[in-house]
Amino acid sequence: MNFPFPEGWQIPTGVPSETLTKIQQDFMQGWQQLSQDAATGHLAPIKDRRFAAPAWASSPAHLMMAHLYLLSANAMGKMVEASDVTPDVKDRLQFSVMQWVDALSPANFFATNPDAQAALVDSGGESLVAGLKNLLSDVQRGRITQTDETKFQVGENVATTQGAVVFQNRFFQLIQYAPSTATVFQRPILLVPPCINKFYILDLQPENSFVRHAVEQGFTVFLVSWRNPLEQDKDGIDRATWDDYLEEGVLKAIDVTREISGQKQINALGFCVGGTVLATALAVAAARGEQPVAALTMLTSMVDFKDTGALGVFVDEQHAKLREQQIGQGGLMSARELGATFSFLRPNELVWNYVVSNYLKGETPAAFDLLFWNGDSTNLPGPFFTWYFRNTYLENKLRLPNKLTCCGERIDLRKLNMPTYIYASREDHIVPWRSAFASMSLFSGDNRFVLGASGHIAGVINPPAKKKRNYWVASDKASHTDPAKWEAQAAEVPGSWWPDWYEWLAAHSGKKIKTAKSLGNTQHKVIEAAPGSYVKVRAV
């Protein structure tokens, strides 16, 4: 993970004197109160889960240390918030201070963590031995283990929905899933997941598989399984461009899906970066006078990058130029660096939590399919990544009509006039929901916006049977250009948003027809069983 400030950049951090005085006074008052509470034995327990174990409450010295840490962290946060800098610099200051403050928590060090010390005593030293083994193992992996990876095997207990690979090239394998109903909708749907991660976030275990549930609703599902480029590959995949992923990736997958299904038009769904790539590919097709997709679904995807959320701290001209110099003509953006970047967006939850449990206490993390998937990320070709970074995150050109040329065509997202279902998650820190909402004013068709609860992944993977969370929808008369007005008119609906999508998609999928007896066709024959071989290639 790169530090978010360009090397040598001097950051003005002045805080108005009266504000600084108030922060100092509040700190001293807090210090005095803690000292009095400690002297009388009335230090309050701490709700912060880092210090919630009984060992903290039973050790006055450690409890006092935790209180002072939180008091200091609060003062530093106030100083950043009061700093006289531009909003962009303030965001970077907040991010950087957060990294240091979270890293210096007394919970992260054995000498200052009474819970870890108690585990050492209780286990007779075994926790320390196990912790060292966990640390050495993770050093070899090059990443922190977040789940018990021995409990999962791709194709065995994750990515198990029945199907077959019916096409492959150097960019992707196309999976066609076997129907589970006597009849299916005439028009199939092609799923385009992000190429930054493996596709099986959409096909975890049977009970939470988006793919399996869609098949059970009578939809014929095709899915793009992106290749994971490796440093030892010799076919030039490390020089693949954004245009290559459009032409030989998405557009080719659409063509093959149409050929196998015999349909002039199909439906398509893009998830996260997959939605950005899909929308761009369809804009290329529209520029060529083609409309191969009848109805489009965008899940937590951006085409307007005005607000890039937590990732914005890494976006600037210097960073773009550095990446272009390093990998712009060839090479890989590594899964290890990408994974570390996303983890440090939420360091307490995705980094230090595991440092404490895995290393200081010698625990084995619990088995969790989503975290297994999270640790199975992919490399990206350098030219693809640098084009994407500059033209979307940095310069936000994709939303501008005819400002970008892709695959030899000037593209205009306004030409995407098919019905579009746009889903966003309210607490998403990767794709802020208002950024996803911005697609409403760019796509010119009949758009439906749905806002789900929770975050980038948990909001999407929310099967109906669990009866968890909720979502918000508004009437057709709700504002499609102002997210605040839309939100004011939106009604809350309990449970999963999946049934709402099923109903919408069914209306755009044609009549029901008899299920085909086999997968693929004479031109595109079965190559291997799902989930295929591409998804099993690990980057780290």
Side-chain angles (χ1 to χ4, degrees):
M1 183 185 71
N2 283 347
F3 196 72
F5 292 105
E7 184 177 354
W9 191 18
Q10 297 298 314
I11 308 167
T13 57
V15 178
S17 57
E18 63 276 10
T19 304
L20 182 59
T21 299
K22 179 65 166 60
I23 294 172
Q24 292 172 332
Q25 290 174 345
D26 290 345
F27 178 86
M28 291 306 301
Q29 289 175 1
W31 172 279
Q32 292 168 0
Q33 184 63 54
L34 285 174
S35 298
Q36 292 175 7
D37 292 343
T40 58
H42 291 93
L43 275 176
I46 299 176
K47 294 182 179 179
D48 189 311
R49 70 176 188 174
R50 292 174 292 178
F51 313 110
W56 289 94
S58 62
S59 173
H62 287 100
L63 185 60
M64 180 65 171
M65 185 188 307
H67 273 290
L68 289 174
Y69 162 77
L70 292 175
L71 180 66
S72 301
N74 179 261
M76 292 183 70
K78 288 180 178 179
M79 291 177 67
V80 171
E81 185 60 35
S83 59
D84 185 18
V85 294
T86 64
D88 287 347
V89 172
K90 183 173 292 186
D91 286 344
R92 296 182 181 202
L93 274 174
Q94 288 173 332
F95 178 84
S96 300
V97 169
M98 175 185 70
Q99 299 304 320
W100 285 106
V101 167
D102 290 349
L104 293 174
S105 165
N108 298 341
F109 304 93
F110 186 84
T112 53
N113 186 326
D115 192 32
Q117 295 167 12
L120 174 68
V121 174
D122 294 343
S123 67
E126 291 183 4
S127 65
L128 179 61
V129 174
L132 289 173
K133 287 181 178 179
N134 290 341
L135 175 61
L136 292 174
S137 177
D138 282 356
V139 168
Q140 291 178 333
R141 283 192 179 96
R143 57 182 172 84
I144 295 175
T145 299
Q146 298 176 332
T147 186
D148 185 353
E149 297 183 1
T150 65
K151 296 295 190 291
F152 299 102
Q153 185 69 38
V154 176
E156 297 295 329
N157 56 358
V158 291
T160 61
T161 301
Q162 185 179 358
V165 174
V166 292
F167 174 86
Q168 70 179 38
N169 62 16
R170 68 184 185 125
F171 290 95
F172 72 98
Q173 288 187 318
L174 182 67
I175 299 173
Q176 180 183 4
Y177 289 95
S180 62
T181 54
T183 60
V184 295
F185 288 100
Q186 187 175 24
R187 183 174 291 140
I189 182 165
L190 171 67
L191 309 185
V192 182
C195 49
I196 197 172
N197 288 105
K198 301 292 182 64
F199 79 80
Y200 62 88
I201 186 60
L202 297 173
D203 186 28
L204 288 169
Q205 300 185 80
E207 62 271 17
N208 61 354
S209 169
F210 184 87
V211 169
R212 184 183 293 267
H213 278 75
V215 169
E216 291 173 348
Q217 302 303 312
F219 298 106
T220 298
V221 178
F222 290 78
L223 181 144
V224 171
S225 174
W226 294 107
R227 176 183 174 182
N228 185 2
L230 302 178
E231 289 184 2
Q232 60 264 36
D233 291 339
K234 303 300 182 183
D235 63 348
I237 188 67
D238 69 312
R239 298 189 296 276
T241 66
W242 179 264
D243 283 4
D244 291 332
Y245 271 73
L246 301 182
E247 199 77 77
E248 298 185 54
V250 175
L251 292 174
K252 185 63 178 179
I254 290 173
D255 287 344
V256 175
T257 302
R258 292 164 66 195
E259 291 165 2
I260 292 175
S261 65
Q263 296 296 306
K264 182 179 179 181
Q265 288 186 310
I266 65 169
N267 294 328
L269 176 152
F271 181 21
C272 188
V273 180
T276 309
V277 177
L278 174 60
T280 310
L282 293 179
V284 170
R288 295 171 176 171
E290 303 168 359
Q291 190 167 336
V293 168
L296 173 65
T297 299
M298 298 279 282
L299 302 184
T300 60
S301 295
M302 286 191 291
V303 290
D304 185 335
F305 288 73
K306 181 179 180 181
D307 177 8
T308 56
L311 289 172
V313 298
F314 299 104
V315 179
D316 58 43
E317 179 65 29
Q318 291 90 340
H319 191 181
K321 285 182 177 179
L322 175 64
R323 292 302 186 187
E324 288 163 353
Q325 292 170 0
Q326 292 174 331
I327 57 176
Q329 300 304 312
L332 298 177
M333 183 65 183
S334 73
R336 181 177 299 178
E337 184 171 357
L338 288 167
T341 297
F342 283 103
S343 290
F344 276 97
L345 294 178
R346 294 154 63 191
N348 278 332
E349 181 179 347
L350 296 177
V351 179
W352 301 115
N353 172 51
Y354 296 102
V355 167
V356 173
S357 60
N358 295 8
Y359 310 152
L360 301 189
K361 298 171 67 176
E363 297 174 348
T364 298
F368 187 18
D369 55 2
L370 195 150
L371 288 177
F372 172 76
W373 164 84
N374 191 56
D376 190 13
S377 54
T378 64
N379 300 315
L380 293 176
F384 168 90
F385 174 82
T386 54
W387 190 99
Y388 174 58
F389 186 85
R390 175 171 290 281
N391 288 285
T392 59
Y393 277 91
L394 180 61
E395 298 181 357
N396 195 16
K397 287 183 177 179
L398 188 57
R399 67 184 176 88
L400 302 174
N402 303 313
K403 290 295 184 181
L404 284 178
T405 298
C406 295
C407 303
E409 306 289 346
R410 287 281 185 176
I411 60 171
D412 184 353
L413 293 177
R414 296 175 303 177
K415 292 183 178 179
L416 302 188
N417 57 9
M418 70 285 287
T420 301
Y421 189 103
I422 301 170
Y423 169 86
S425 294
R426 183 181 286 275
E427 287 85 35
D428 195 337
H429 66 293
I430 304 297
V431 178
W433 78 262
R434 290 173 177 81
S435 295
F437 184 90
S439 299
M440 296 281 283
S441 59
L442 293 175
F443 301 151
S444 59
D446 180 14
N447 300 323
R448 178 173 178 79
F449 185 78
V450 174
L451 179 63
S454 196
H456 189 67
I457 299 298
V460 172
I461 309 305
N462 183 27
K466 293 189 176 182
K467 298 181 180 179
K468 294 176 64 177
R469 306 186 182 94
N470 48 18
Y471 64 96
W472 291 264
V473 292
S475 68
D476 293 339
K477 295 181 181 179
S479 172
H480 285 191
T481 57
D482 187 336
K485 291 181 179 179
W486 179 92
E487 187 176 23
Q489 299 177 59
E492 183 176 350
V493 182
S496 170
W497 60 272
W498 290 12
D500 182 82
W501 179 69
Y502 296 148
E503 182 179 356
W504 177 88
L505 185 63
H508 301 288
S509 297
K511 64 182 181 180
K512 287 287 191 75
I513 59 175
K514 188 176 180 180
T515 299
K517 296 181 179 180
S518 60
L519 302 180
N521 62 7
T522 56
Q523 183 181 359
H524 302 291
K525 297 181 179 180
V526 170
I527 298 173
E528 59 180 323
S533 55
Y534 282 18
V535 71
K536 297 179 181 179
V537 176
R538 292 187 68 95
V540 291

